Amino acid sequence: MSTNNVWTHKGTFLLAAVGSAVGLGNLWRFPYLAGENGGGAFLLVYALTIFAVGIPILIAETMLGRNSRRSPIMGMRFLTRTHRTSRAWESIGWLGAASAFIILSFYSVIAGWAIHYTGQMIAGTLSAADAEGVAASFDALLASPALLTLYHSLFIGSSALVVGLGVHRGIENGLRILMPALFAILMVVLAYAATIGDLAAAADFLFTFDIASLSLEGWLAAMGQSFFTLSLGMGAIMAYGAYMSGAASLTTTAFTIAFIDTAVALIAGLAIFALVFGAGLDPSEGPGLMFVTLPLAFAEMPGGTLLGAIFFLLVLGAALSSAISLIEPVAAYLVERFDLNRPQAVSAMVIASWALGLLTVFSFNRWALDSPFHALFGRSAFGLLELATNIAMPLGGLLISLFAGWALTHGEVMKEMRTGETWFRVWRLLVHFVAPAAVAFVFLRSLPQVQGYGIPAIGALVIVGTFAAGRSFLAERNAS
Ligand code: TRP
């Protein structure tokens, strides 16, 4: 992809961005986080952030990519030069690379579970299982570090292969089939979940907004999820935006991405909670939610094993198209910066991320209840990595919106937006004030609960900031 400047079709950015956005975040993470955080209240904060913060930042991030036409880290450097602002903004690129690396590490482990379930469906192992049987089978999977590592390696290896070989054709053609198919089969699952499950209870759970029931950390989780699901705040969208045609509208594209992404999450959520309440399962089951409920539905559905196998394959496809967008920005940077070739850059990123992923593997068995991470941070390594992304992505988004809103020259922004004056004003208002204020508000609200981690996070930021500021100081001195 790095060799071509622009996607072959005007609509491909949209397709690639939807491919990045729609993934485990919608099918796996949204339902389980909503379940853990009380349903409706979580959904409310999530939806508000998507529309008031997510869409404006999505526009801003695409704009930065399209305006610089470079990979995120180099692109930020280019923009700080051409717009004559501080090089400290380059921290946006660094923060993004760090989050991509962390997210990929656990994303791949979870996607690995879908490999396991594809196999189970094809083998028909779960075709007669009841709720307990399905849950027991999931627990058995988690108890085996060897199996989890195998699937993790398979998934991350295939993603690396796709990115290493160049994703251009693969993404375009693959997604055109994959996304509609996923949508269609999700509707079938929803329809079936409504007949065997309790759709009314699911709708009640998701659409009863009792904001008081949301814990402080729930606020952070909801905001983190809205960034996670739109692939925001870490340069993935910027990297794709670099290849976006100058003729496509930023606004229409951003709204379309957000709409499709939210629709997929809601359908998945409704289907899963209908099954949860129908079978008397626990909505706050945690990361296993999707993997326990859906096999149960497939077990009872006529032709369920075939449908189940197709479904989990589509989940894998959606996860793969997201994983690609996690590898791409970091790999592109390594190529530009260290003069590596593409396979070397991809391998370096993926091997390191694979190793970090082992922490997540052990978080579900050996280190589930007790580990050095519990002793230090009061949660598992997986919990800690998730928390880090809940903080890093909104922070990246905040910096992106501040940069696009305050640091970019007005004329350049107008040129990219090419939109009516009114919407331009609204967008500017959103990125100038609303998005930064919202992110700051949620950070401050959740601070008491994440205190222990807030301090290391702030420490890391100070280090990155000092580093960036120091470099910009030196660069300016050398230039004069
Ligand atoms: N959005 C993806 C999902 O919902 C996850 C993802 C892919 C992502 N690329 C990203 C998240 C970049 C943040 C940044 O599954």
Side-chain angles (χ1 to χ4, degrees):
M1 188 168 5
S2 57
T3 49
N4 298 43
N5 304 327
V6 179
W7 298 105
T8 23
H9 295 291
K10 191 174 148 193
T12 308
F13 169 78
L14 178 65
L15 210 57
V18 167
S20 168
V22 174
L24 297 176
N26 311 63
L27 306 165
W28 159 75
R29 202 169 186 261
F30 170 74
Y32 104 73
L33 286 177
E36 280 186 339
N37 292 291
F42 178 90
L43 180 64
L44 186 67
V45 176
Y46 165 84
L48 278 178
T49 348
I50 293 262
F51 285 95
V53 183
I55 291 179
I57 293 181
L58 190 53
I59 294 175
E61 196 174 332
T62 320
M63 180 189 295
L64 296 187
R66 190 163 78 174
N67 199 254
S68 68
R69 293 244 178 260
R70 282 168 176 74
S71 78
I73 293 178
M74 293 303 183
M76 285 311 298
R77 184 166 299 172
F78 172 80
L79 290 174
T80 57
R81 275 204 200 118
T82 50
H83 294 261
R84 300 178 175 283
T85 59
S86 161
R87 282 190 65 184
W89 292 110
E90 280 176 26
S91 53
I92 291 176
W94 293 103
L95 193 68
S99 348
F101 169 73
I102 294 176
I103 294 174
L104 181 67
S105 79
F106 67 76
Y107 205 79
S108 166
V109 175
I110 311 296
W113 300 352
I115 302 182
H116 178 76
Y117 277 93
T118 309
Q120 298 268 301
M121 291 293 145
I122 292 172
T125 337
L126 292 171
S127 59
D130 55 6
E132 272 109 66
V134 173
S137 139
F138 180 68
D139 291 341
L141 169 67
L142 290 196
S144 163
L147 263 187
L148 294 181
T149 306
L150 171 71
Y151 295 133
H152 167 47
S153 315
L154 280 176
F155 181 82
I156 213 165
S158 352
S159 314
L161 211 62
V162 175
V163 184
L165 291 175
V167 285
H168 217 89
R169 274 287 135 69
I171 285 200
E172 291 200 32
N173 298 331
L175 288 175
R176 216 165 263 142
I177 302 164
L178 181 82
M179 285 303 149
L182 182 68
F183 204 74
I185 206 159
L186 213 51
M187 293 307 287
V188 175
V189 173
L190 176 64
Y192 200 76
T195 60
I196 65 167
D198 191 345
L199 191 63
D204 204 39
F205 181 68
L206 276 178
F207 300 120
T208 307
F209 307 117
D210 174 17
I211 204 74
S213 70
L214 196 60
S215 72
L216 293 174
E217 215 181 319
W219 277 77
L220 187 62
M223 185 177 71
Q225 170 62 9
S226 64
F227 279 84
F228 186 94
T229 191
L230 291 178
S231 304
L232 277 187
M234 45 148 291
I237 291 294
M238 212 188 289
Y240 279 175
Y243 312 120
M244 185 187 192
S245 142
S249 153
L250 290 176
T251 309
T252 318
T253 312
F255 272 94
T256 314
I257 297 168
F259 178 77
I260 298 176
D261 188 75
T262 308
V264 173
L266 282 180
I267 298 172
L270 280 173
I272 286 175
F273 288 116
L275 294 165
V276 164
F277 293 117
L281 295 167
D282 177 11
S284 58
E285 138 98 34
L289 191 64
M290 169 181 120
F291 295 95
V292 172
T293 50
L294 292 187
L296 190 64
F298 292 127
E300 297 189 20
M301 223 184 272
T305 41
L306 179 64
L307 211 60
I310 299 173
F311 175 80
F312 280 108
L313 274 175
L314 292 173
V315 171
L316 275 174
L320 194 75
S321 64
S322 299
I324 287 168
S325 75
L326 288 163
I327 300 176
E328 175 65 21
V330 181
Y333 169 70
L334 293 176
V335 168
E336 287 173 347
R337 177 71 178 72
F338 297 104
D339 212 23
L340 301 181
N341 61 33
R342 234 180 130 70
Q344 285 170 333
V346 170
S347 314
M349 150 77 170
V350 162
I351 290 172
S353 200
W354 175 86
L356 185 66
L358 296 180
L359 290 184
T360 297
V361 164
F362 290 125
S363 295
F364 291 105
N365 36 69
R366 227 159 272 174
W367 284 350
L369 299 173
D370 191 28
S371 72
F373 299 95
H374 286 87
L376 282 171
F377 301 104
R379 61 188 71 210
S380 67
F382 171 61
L384 195 63
L385 293 174
E386 272 211 301
L387 187 66
T389 58
N390 277 345
I391 294 174
M393 283 185 305
L395 200 62
L398 173 73
L399 293 176
I400 286 171
S401 71
L402 290 176
F403 181 73
W406 296 92
L408 282 192
T409 28
H410 185 91
E412 209 57 38
V413 174
M414 262 318 243
K415 198 180 90 202
E416 288 291 346
M417 286 290 282
R418 271 184 293 100
T419 148
E421 188 64 26
T422 319
W423 166 242
F424 181 71
R425 288 234 178 91
V426 173
W427 175 79
R428 263 180 87 90
L429 187 76
L430 289 172
V431 289
H432 265 141
F433 303 109
V434 178
V439 175
F441 172 72
V442 175
F443 273 156
L444 290 179
R445 247 197 87 97
S446 53
L447 209 56
Q449 265 185 23
V450 289
Q451 227 170 28
Y453 325 99
I455 291 161
I458 291 167
L461 256 184
V462 169
I463 294 169
V464 172
T466 317
F467 175 71
R471 290 188 55 158
S472 74
F473 175 71
L474 287 179
E476 268 149 36
R477 218 181 40 181
N478 291 344
S480 60

